[in-house]
Amino acid sequence: MNYLLSYEALPPEIKAQLTRITESWKTHAGESLVGVYLHGSVALGAFQPASGDLDVLVVVKDALTIETKLKIAQDLLEIDGCPCPVELSAVKLCDVQPWRTPGNCVFHYSDFWSERIEQRLHDPDFDCYVLDREFPDADVTSYIKLILQCGVTLYGPLPKEIFSEISDEDFWQGISADVENYDFHSYKPRYLASNVLILGRILSFKKERRILSKYEAGLWMIENVPQSLKYLPERAMKIWFEGEALDLPEDDLEKLRKYLVAEIQK
């Protein structure tokens, strides 16, 4: 298994990438910027630079103008993938203090949206959902829960000074909503192995009442899924964390998906 990294152990070029993200928000959001927080695998000490994303949550005081969003989006297009993929959401302070289920975003960036964001930058009449409006996003629940558990402050006050506590019930509602439609093939093909581990991660929270990293969730799945399906999380871990080219047969993937969904819904 390749060495997994915490924030403190990140290579200089990745820390520099995070600094560029923070500086972009400081420049364009100005006094409205409250804080920038790192969550995801880096916060959990399980980051694999060859495959992992940098997961960032930004808090602002006020709604952002479209002009501000476009400037930040332009910066993120240049920062994304240099060297790591970036996934970033922004929320307003009034929506997290006190907490309001299911969560509300004022801005989002990820490589899933990058082509549409780029098109919006070149065509003012093109509608890009994550830039042109505020929108509910249940994923914010898990971001904040994890930030309060072990998040890294890149800018601003400590998380406990910004975020209201999120109950296990609200968190569970956020991560299990619409789980019957969970699709291992969502997003780009490179995320297939990751998506397998994430669904197991959801079930592991139900059983363990703790947010596990994808690495820990993979180990948990190997111990807890039916014997005939254990090879799938084993392979998913080798694909995601070691870069191996392995097959994940569709028939067994669907059996695993149905098993995990049924256990989550019990």
Side-chain angles (χ1 to χ4, degrees):
M1 179 64 62
N2 291 337
Y3 186 62
L4 302 179
L5 304 179
S6 64
Y7 174 75
E8 290 74 17
L10 290 178
E13 61 271 20
I14 299 179
K15 285 193 174 181
Q17 186 180 14
L18 291 169
T19 298
R20 290 179 67 194
I21 293 170
T22 301
E23 290 302 315
S24 174
W25 280 89
K26 289 167 68 176
T27 297
H28 300 303
E31 293 184 359
S32 183
L33 180 63
V34 175
V36 182
Y37 303 93
L38 190 60
H39 57 96
S41 58
V42 177
L44 287 161
F47 182 69
Q48 168 50 264
S51 59
D53 295 352
L54 299 176
D55 298 299
V56 179
L57 184 68
V58 175
V59 182
V60 292
K61 294 177 185 175
D62 308 301
L64 300 170
T65 66
I66 295 297
E67 180 182 9
T68 297
K69 293 181 185 182
L70 292 174
K71 288 178 179 178
I72 294 169
Q74 180 65 68
D75 285 353
L76 289 172
L77 283 168
E78 297 171 3
I79 296 168
D80 189 18
C82 297
C84 298
V86 173
E87 181 163 345
L88 182 150
S89 294
V91 296
K92 290 187 297 188
L93 185 60
C94 65
D95 288 331
V96 299
Q97 194 184 83
W99 170 244
R100 300 181 183 191
T101 300
N104 192 61
C105 273
V106 297
F107 176 94
H108 177 77
Y109 178 91
S110 63
D111 64 357
F112 178 78
W113 285 95
S114 60
E115 290 183 7
R116 278 165 281 190
I117 288 171
E118 190 161 12
Q119 187 170 349
R120 174 65 176 83
L121 286 167
H122 293 95
D123 180 2
D125 295 324
F126 179 77
D127 182 75
C128 182
Y129 183 80
V130 296
L131 295 186
D132 289 318
R133 58 185 55 77
E134 298 182 14
F135 54 94
D137 186 354
D139 288 343
V140 172
T141 312
S142 59
Y143 303 159
I144 295 174
K145 186 84 166 175
L146 183 53
I147 288 169
L148 287 168
Q149 176 178 303
C150 58
V152 177
T153 301
L154 299 176
Y155 173 84
L158 294 174
K160 65 182 180 180
E161 299 175 35
I162 295 299
F163 301 105
S164 300
E165 287 291 338
I166 292 177
S167 68
D168 285 353
E169 291 73 22
D170 277 353
F171 178 68
W172 180 248
Q173 180 182 332
I175 64 174
S176 63
D178 199 34
V179 71
E180 64 272 13
N181 295 317
Y182 191 94
D183 183 359
F184 288 145
H185 295 283
S186 292
Y187 310 115
K188 296 184 178 181
R190 81 175 191 89
Y191 288 108
L192 173 59
S194 174
N195 288 340
V196 171
L197 299 174
I198 288 171
L199 189 57
R201 193 180 182 192
I202 294 172
L203 179 58
S204 72
F205 181 82
K206 180 180 181 180
K207 302 293 187 180
E208 308 297 334
R209 311 307 286 183
R210 184 169 69 90
I211 303 174
L212 304 183
S213 68
K214 280 184 278 193
Y215 180 75
E216 293 171 317
L219 296 177
W220 187 91
M221 290 171 70
I222 292 167
E223 293 298 319
N224 288 278
V225 302
Q227 182 66 37
S228 64
L229 300 175
K230 290 181 185 293
Y231 81 97
L232 290 172
E234 289 175 347
R235 288 188 183 182
M237 292 182 72
K238 289 180 179 180
I239 293 168
W240 189 248
F241 293 106
E242 300 184 37
E244 293 194 25
L246 299 171
D247 183 39
L248 297 173
E250 285 296 329
D251 288 348
D252 280 352
L253 272 181
E254 182 58 14
K255 290 177 184 176
L256 179 64
R257 191 193 72 83
K258 287 182 176 179
Y259 170 79
L260 294 171
V261 168
E263 290 294 308
I264 289 167
Q265 291 182 321
K266 279 184 179 178

